[in-house]
Amino acid sequence: MSVPEPRPGAPAADATTLRLGYGTNGFANHRLDDALAVIADLGYDGVALTLDHDHLDPFAPGLTRRVAAVGRRLESLGLGVVIETGARYLLDPWQKHAPTLLHDDPTRRIEFLRRAVRIGADLGAEAVSFWAGVRPEAVSPQCAWDRLVAGCATVVDAADTAGVTLGFEPEPGMLVQDIADWRRLHAALDNPARFGITLDIGHCRCLEPWPVPQCVAEVADHLVNVQIDDMRRGVHEHLEFGVGEIDFPPVLAALAAAGYQGLVAVELPRDSHAAPAVAARSIEFLRAAAATDHDSVRTLCSAPAEATPAEATPAEEAPVHM
């Protein structure tokens, strides 16, 4: 199910050809089989599969058999897949997201990410996505950074061996929270070919210094995974489309102009209570936004990017709701 690389010099696709997906973390109250069926029935092209205790638990018995079954299910439904690793309490029932690569003992996190890479390889995933984590108070910034670089290097080695593409996600409030941080990490790892970026469109509005379409242009050469949601400036809260502040037709046009061919997956992890209805509204919204004619926006997004600061709340003051 891997997506082929665009041909060199090929014209950018129209926004209506973007491949839409939906994240299973927004279907937390559904069995995985049922969630995949609903997502496919609504017309999505793929799924962002968060490995979790009830959705392909990577630590439960019979992993090989269960991965094979999920692969057959995805194939039968015609769904592409990316692997997400943001489960909240999978590794520690007491502490959300712990341990991360920044903790004193990141062993369980590293093993989780290695398993995610193997699962991604077996499912033909387009990318395996992960993030840095929040720096523990007792860990100095330099120590946290050194731990992150070392941990990421281990995951990159695993991905190279498995032939899997990694998408590292800048996350508000984490050690790597924006595009500039990702670039620093990419350079510290010696610019590995399989270490791309996962771009959350909402995060761009939350804290990046550029307009959202320009954020897409800034990372186009390294973009391997896209999450999409609405958001307000300075507040890290994933919102349904139309509730926040993002103008989506220019964003989708920017993705098309960048030649992005991967999944654009809806990321609404707090809406599982109404998942089918939210997913239905989301695909209708995105299809309408993609069909909006924005020739001037496409021209802008194909031009060299300029650092136009976004207005309002500075990133360091942004409240975090992960």
Side-chain angles (χ1 to χ4, degrees), residues 45 60 64 75 78 141 219 282 289 317:
D45 301 297
T64 299
E75 187 71 30
V219 301
S282 297
E317 295 179 7

Side-chain angles (χ1 to χ4, degrees), residues 141-198:
Q142 186 60 53
C143 179
W145 181 257
D146 292 343
R147 289 175 176 180
L148 176 63
V149 173
C152 286
T154 299
V155 180
V156 168
D157 286 345
D160 283 342
T161 299
V164 168
T165 297
L166 299 173
F168 192 93
E169 181 188 3
E171 184 87 19
M174 293 191 178
L175 188 65
V176 173
Q177 71 168 355
D178 58 22
I179 291 169
D181 290 339
W182 177 88
R183 286 175 172 156
R184 180 186 173 209
L185 178 60
H186 190 247
L189 292 166
D190 199 21
N191 307 311
R194 294 191 180 275
F195 191 84
I197 189 170
T198 291

Side-chain angles (χ1 to χ4, degrees), residues 61-70 72:
L63 181 60
T64 299
R65 171 184 53 78
R66 290 184 291 110
V67 169
V70 170
R72 290 191 297 270

Side-chain angles (χ1 to χ4, degrees), residues 227-243:
Q227 301 168 353
I228 194 163
D229 44 79
D230 212 343
M231 207 166 285
R232 299 187 181 98
R233 185 69 180 165
V235 182
H236 184 201
E237 182 178 4
H238 293 245
L239 302 172
E240 271 200 71
F241 303 110
V243 178

